[in-house]
Amino acid sequence: EKLIAFYEAALQVYTRDAFPQYWAMTQNNLANAYSHRIKGERGENTEKAIAFFQAVLEVCNRKTFTQDLGVTKNNLVNAYRNRVKGNKNIARAIALYEAALEVYTPTALPIDCLQTGRNLGNLGFAESFWGTAIFGYEKAIQAVEQSREWITSDNRKREIIEENLDVYEKMMQSCINHQQYDKALQTIERSKSRYLVELFANSEIYPKTATDTEKQQLQNLRRQIAASQQFLETETPSPLPLSPPLTKGGPRGVPEDSPSQRTTQTRSLSPEYFQQQKAKLETTSQQLTQLLEQIKQREPEFSLTQKVEPIDITKFQQTLDTETAIIEWYIGNSNSPSNSNSPLLKGGWGGSAFIITRDSIELITYTTTEIAELQTWKNNYLDEYRNKKTNKTWQNTLSQKLEKLSEILRLNEIIAHIPPNSKQLILVPHRYLHLFPLHALQFTSETRFQQKTNFRGYLLDSFPAGVKYAPSLQLLELVKNRLTTRNSPPPNQLQLFALQNPTEDLFNADMEVETIKTRFNPHQILLKKQATKTALNENRENLSNANYLHFSCHGIFNFDYPLLSSLVLADSLEPQTSPPPPESNQPDEKQRYVTLRSGRKALPEKCLTLREIFAELQLPQCSLVTLSACETGLTTSTAMTDEYIGLPSGFLYAGSMNVVSSLWAVDDFATAILMIKFYQELPDADSVALALNAAQNWMRGVSMEDLRVWVGLLNLDEKSRQSVELWLLCSSEEQPFRDPKYWAAFCATGY
């Protein structure tokens, strides 16, 4: 009551004509006071607050107090949503949110845009107005992406995503409820692109084709944008003290850090100066966009690392042939509060599988219960695999584990939605699904399997043109576009560049590479101790001109610093007799080493790192990179905010059309046999995936006797023949490679 009296007294001095901005500030405060007033009838107080807010809007509109205008509209929305006199004016609230978003744009005021768009999305979501929800969440997502692009703090970037994961998930749910499946897929793709963009922004990686002048321009524009955005978000005050919502957290869950709950800044800047800074930011952003567009014309890959660019799903579908189908998964956060109240399903929405063809998009949804079951399965799988004491159990029960995964993912149901004429299948996993051999899952289908043995088989058995993987639709589209510019040399002129056993502890790598190289002319092999970082750099031109790259070595995925994920070269391992490096909390010390599963440490500067692959490696002629090593296809399995980024993505970005990589620590001998057979299949196969699938099917079914005959035709040296015979003597199985642990680890990624 004292506040109301003081504000009314202030209005005797701050008149509307003499001091319009201060009048509006005081009027806004008076409206807030009535919104919280205890004395009197609540409905009457709310009506007074609405009247005061509307009067403020008139002045803000007339005097172009743009930031104040957005704040007041947010406050008025809260009042309308809490209106108790008559019906809640939801339509009016939506209109005001939409009007506020005309002021709070993603490029001018992304933090305010994020909160306002989020509030509008939540209002539409709560009322089942799916179009409204999509509009609001779309603005919020644009603001999230813009904020992460400009914010310099790594922790704050991560916090922004963690605080707004529900925006992406509710956007997905709204699109699905609105039957806009293409928009839902576009949201998934935007989510996948975030992490790659962030990695490049923090690492200051520049285009491979950029001149020194262009690199300097990029650096200057990035810094100017970051400085301008920081100024607008932290230095620009609002002349209007921004009111808190009517109840803590706001009606229908208005975030506590929304614009209506911030405190007033102490510095006073004129609206004209604010507009000048806003215009400066917009101009600089346009200059950066124009520069990136110029670079994109000659280096389209680089644009994907600078800005999250939504993919046109409908246009992408038209690039597919009629015999290709794609399954793209989305695994939601089963702990998200929004999911338990989702109107989609009883039990909540936990995730989706989209079946994409040229002419349609079909949908399978998972409940939160199913995703929780998947999470438990994943934890058990990885715990057994990573623990040396239980790894043997993991190997012996892998088939049963994969059968359970097929059941949880409802693969039978997914395959039933794929047209019978589809001969090629592309799998686009999400989050931790990247860790598992989805091509080795079994399912039952009377249309896909003609045998009368329960009509059951592996996924790779049922698509005659092959089963392959893609990190995302956007990267798949990028790789596919290269087909128009690539000219394949004659089969007798294919060039091979290979690394052979750099650490000299892979006992069958020599047999593998020595056999494979005979199929290529010319070929260059960096053998054992020759395969150093120095030698690799000296032969960078030969590597860039090669059609096939084959790395028979150790591979490491670095979960803490993904760009330090490496292929281990000669002289990179610390001597086993050396003491371990001292523990340190400094990032530089942590980044000094990468660690193999054996526990040995390697120096990244002596390895081929993912950062170098992204920043320096150019493979304009490369059809295939084969990573014949352990765990080269791995990525993190725990983080909600990180999407697939690993060695396969790096080589695809560098220019390769395809990458073959592994999902676990593979058997050295079985890998050598699989690789030799794979390269035998390549010349007659229509695709890398089909050749790999054929080699894997042969591995599964080959008998001991047939294997000996096949090996006899390889013209191996004496040492390699002895190695083969020793392994076969230790195996008691009639079909020695039947178990998935021997053949299922390798997967083909690309187009």
Side-chain angles (χ1 to χ4, degrees):
E1 296 306 302
K2 290 181 179 179
L3 275 176
I4 290 173
F6 286 136
Y7 287 140
E8 288 176 341
L11 286 174
Q12 301 302 311
V13 179
Y14 291 148
T15 63
R16 180 170 178 167
D17 294 331
F19 301 97
Q21 191 163 11
Y22 291 104
W23 177 88
M25 174 185 69
T26 308
Q27 192 91 347
N28 185 79
N29 291 344
L30 184 59
N32 288 331
Y34 272 104
S35 295
H36 290 274
R37 191 184 194 191
I38 298 174
K39 184 177 180 180
E41 199 271 321
R42 184 183 175 191
E44 293 297 329
N45 289 332
T46 301
E47 293 304 310
K48 289 182 180 179
I50 289 173
F52 286 131
F53 281 134
Q54 288 174 331
V56 174
L57 281 180
E58 293 179 13
V59 173
C60 290
N61 273 315
R62 189 172 304 164
K63 299 295 183 179
T64 65
F65 302 150
T66 54
Q67 191 179 28
D68 306 339
L69 180 65
V71 173
T72 305
K73 286 177 178 177
N74 267 306
N75 291 339
L76 185 54
V77 167
N78 288 333
Y80 270 110
R81 289 171 65 183
N82 282 267
R83 197 177 201 179
V84 294
K85 183 176 182 180
N87 296 325
K88 291 183 180 179
N89 199 332
I90 300 298
R92 178 64 174 159
I94 290 173
L96 285 166
Y97 269 140
E98 291 174 342
L101 285 170
E102 295 177 6
V103 178
Y104 294 151
T105 64
T107 53
L109 294 166
I111 300 298
D112 296 300
C113 177
L114 166 59
Q115 300 302 343
T116 305
R118 193 173 193 263
N119 290 347
L120 175 59
N122 288 345
L123 176 58
F125 193 92
E127 299 295 330
S128 298
F129 296 161
W130 305 121
T132 297
I134 291 170
F135 177 81
Y137 291 139
E138 172 73 18
K139 293 292 186 182
I141 288 172
Q142 291 175 8
V144 167
E145 292 164 356
Q146 190 67 82
S147 299
R148 280 167 56 90
E149 182 181 342
W150 288 341
I151 287 174
T152 56
S153 166
D154 291 347
N155 288 336
R156 185 57 190 144
K157 285 176 183 285
R158 193 175 303 110
E159 287 172 358
I160 285 178
I161 286 298
E162 291 172 348
E163 291 167 0
N164 296 283
L165 280 172
D166 66 316
V167 172
Y168 285 84
E169 297 207 345
K170 285 185 174 179
M171 176 68 163
M172 286 277 298
Q173 295 178 57
S174 300
C175 292
I176 291 172
N177 275 353
H178 209 44
Q179 295 187 340
Q180 290 189 358
Y181 297 157
D182 58 333
K183 192 77 172 176
L185 278 165
Q186 186 184 72
T187 303
I188 297 175
E189 290 292 309
R190 293 173 82 152
S191 176
K192 286 174 177 286
S193 299
R194 293 191 313 249
Y195 193 39
L196 183 63
V197 170
E198 180 183 338
L199 279 178
F200 271 69
N202 292 347
S203 304
E204 293 197 348
I205 294 177
Y206 295 99
K208 299 169 188 175
T209 60
T211 64
D212 291 339
T213 301
E214 288 175 330
K215 291 178 181 179
Q216 189 63 49
Q217 286 178 313
L218 272 175
Q219 187 180 61
N220 292 340
L221 289 171
R222 286 168 175 168
R223 290 176 178 175
Q224 289 175 31
I225 288 173
S228 295
Q229 177 56 23
Q230 185 176 14
F231 175 84
L232 288 174
E233 289 297 341
T234 61
E235 298 297 330
T236 304
S238 170
L240 304 182
L242 311 183
S243 71
L246 298 181
T247 57
K248 185 178 180 181
R252 301 178 190 266
V254 176
E256 294 186 16
D257 60 346
S258 63
S260 60
Q261 191 153 342
R262 296 205 199 127
T263 58
T264 306
Q265 303 286 341
T266 56
R267 294 178 61 178
S268 180
L269 299 175
S270 70
E272 292 78 11
Y273 186 70
F274 167 77
Q275 291 296 334
Q276 291 173 4
Q277 294 302 311
K278 178 182 173 184
K280 180 181 177 181
L281 173 60
E282 291 177 345
T283 300
T284 310
S285 299
Q286 290 173 0
Q287 291 173 347
L288 178 60
T289 300
Q290 291 171 359
L291 179 58
L292 291 175
E293 190 61 33
Q294 293 174 13
I295 296 171
K296 182 180 179 181
Q297 300 305 314
R298 62 178 187 269
E299 193 175 330
E301 295 88 347
F302 187 74
S303 63
L304 297 182
T305 68
Q306 298 304 294
K307 187 176 182 179
V308 178
E309 296 183 353
I311 183 174
D312 187 328
I313 299 297
T314 302
K315 183 178 178 181
F316 171 81
Q317 284 180 270
Q318 297 310 302
T319 67
L320 300 176
D321 61 56
T322 57
E323 295 183 343
T324 295
I326 299 175
I327 305 173
E328 177 158 8
W329 279 273
Y330 181 85
I331 305 300
N333 179 10
S334 58
N335 297 320
S336 173
S338 67
N339 288 339
S340 59
N341 298 319
S342 170
L344 274 171
L345 298 166
K346 183 179 180 181
W349 175 84
S352 301
F354 295 87
I355 299 94
I356 309 162
T357 63
R358 181 182 177 89
D359 301 319
S360 67
I361 301 175
E362 301 286 340
L363 177 71
I364 300 291
T365 56
Y366 301 109
T367 65
T368 53
T369 302
E370 289 173 315
I371 296 302
E373 185 181 13
L374 177 62
Q375 181 88 10
T376 300
W377 180 94
K378 180 264 293 185
N379 291 338
N380 292 336
Y381 176 99
L382 295 179
D383 288 345
E384 271 193 11
Y385 169 70
R386 291 170 177 168
N387 190 325
K388 291 183 179 180
K389 294 181 180 179
T390 58
N391 185 267
K392 194 68 176 178
T393 302
W394 174 87
Q395 295 182 43
N396 294 335
T397 59
L398 181 58
S399 292
Q400 295 92 306
K401 285 181 170 59
L402 295 180
E403 286 184 14
K404 182 62 178 176
L405 178 59
S406 178
E407 177 187 325
I408 295 172
L409 293 178
R410 291 164 35 209
L411 193 58
N412 290 349
E413 186 177 348
I414 291 175
I415 297 301
H417 284 77
I418 296 179
N421 67 312
S422 297
K423 296 180 180 179
Q424 176 180 239
L425 180 64
I426 302 174
L427 305 174
V428 187
H430 183 240
R431 292 182 61 201
Y432 48 76
L433 285 183
H434 286 289
L435 298 170
F436 312 127
L438 304 178
H439 60 284
L441 297 184
Q442 295 190 56
F443 67 99
T444 302
S445 171
E446 294 187 12
T447 58
R448 287 281 164 186
F449 301 108
Q450 302 303 318
Q451 307 94 330
K452 295 183 179 179
T453 55
N454 298 322
F455 302 101
R456 188 166 180 79
Y458 289 101
L459 198 57
L460 58 82
D461 294 331
S462 57
F463 290 88
V467 177
K468 63 181 69 172
Y469 291 79
S472 67
L473 296 182
Q474 204 157 36
L475 198 51
L476 181 67
E477 182 179 52
L478 175 71
V479 173
K480 185 177 183 295
N481 289 340
R482 294 176 184 152
L483 291 172
T484 59
T485 60
R486 292 291 173 94
N487 295 317
S488 299
N492 62 346
Q493 296 180 19
L494 294 173
Q495 298 185 44
L496 171 71
F497 187 95
L499 302 185
Q500 180 176 327
N501 196 11
T503 52
E504 301 188 60
D505 55 357
L506 299 171
F507 303 111
N508 292 284
D510 295 332
M511 173 179 69
E512 172 187 320
V513 178
E514 291 296 323
T515 304
I516 290 171
K517 74 179 184 181
T518 61
R519 298 184 168 274
F520 295 92
N521 180 33
H523 59 254
Q524 181 178 3
I525 313 298
L526 295 184
L527 178 64
K528 297 183 179 179
K529 291 182 179 180
Q530 299 173 359
T532 63
K533 184 67 169 290
T534 300
L536 193 66
N537 289 333
E538 290 174 349
N539 287 276
R540 188 61 65 90
E541 184 177 351
N542 293 334
L543 186 147
S544 294
N545 290 333
N547 307 110
Y548 290 81
L549 298 181
H550 188 92
F551 295 92
S552 188
C553 60
H554 289 294
I556 306 168
F557 182 82
N558 191 304
F559 294 99
D560 296 319
Y561 304 98
L563 287 179
L564 289 185
S565 300
S566 305
L567 293 173
V568 180
L569 303 177
D571 295 335
S572 65
L573 291 180
E574 287 291 285
Q576 290 181 307
T577 56
S578 298
E583 292 293 330
S584 171
N585 292 325
Q586 298 300 317
D588 288 344
E589 184 62 39
K590 287 183 178 180
Q591 294 187 46
R592 185 181 173 194
Y593 296 93
V594 288
T595 306
L596 281 70
R597 271 186 63 82
S598 65
R600 296 189 67 183
K601 296 183 181 296
L603 291 170
E605 58 266 27
K606 292 187 177 183
C607 299
L608 178 60
T609 65
L610 181 57
R611 187 189 189 283
E612 292 170 312
I613 296 169
F614 272 124
E616 302 171 14
L617 199 60
Q618 297 187 64
L619 304 174
Q621 309 299 327
C622 189
S623 296
L624 169 65
V625 174
T626 302
L627 305 176
S628 181
C630 297
E631 301 182 339
T632 50
L634 288 189
T635 181
T636 183
S637 63
T638 55
M640 270 300 301
T641 58
D642 298 345
E643 183 42 40
Y644 181 75
I645 180 71
L647 293 168
S649 292
F651 281 107
L652 290 177
Y653 176 85
S656 180
M657 298 295 294
N658 298 276
V659 180
V660 169
S661 58
S662 64
L663 298 175
W664 55 75
V666 291
D667 180 88
D668 182 33
F669 177 77
T671 296
I673 297 298
L674 177 63
M675 287 296 133
I676 293 171
K677 182 62 177 176
F678 166 55
Y679 277 89
Q680 287 181 344
E681 296 285 346
L682 266 176
D684 298 324
D686 292 333
S687 69
V688 168
L690 191 55
L692 180 62
N693 293 167
Q696 290 171 320
N697 283 329
W698 175 83
M699 284 277 288
R700 287 162 44 198
V702 69
S703 66
M704 189 77 76
E705 180 181 350
D706 290 340
L707 181 61
R708 281 194 168 94
V709 172
W710 178 80
V711 169
L713 299 175
L714 295 179
N715 296 321
L716 300 178
D717 59 32
E718 183 62 27
K719 182 179 177 181
S720 296
R721 285 198 299 269
Q722 289 177 358
S723 177
V724 171
E725 194 58 39
L726 179 61
W727 195 93
L728 294 179
L729 286 173
C730 295
S731 176
S732 59
E733 299 291 334
E734 174 57 28
Q735 294 174 306
F737 303 119
R738 184 173 184 82
D739 196 285
K741 68 182 180 182
Y742 292 118
W743 57 267
F746 286 94
C747 37
T749 304
Y751 200 86

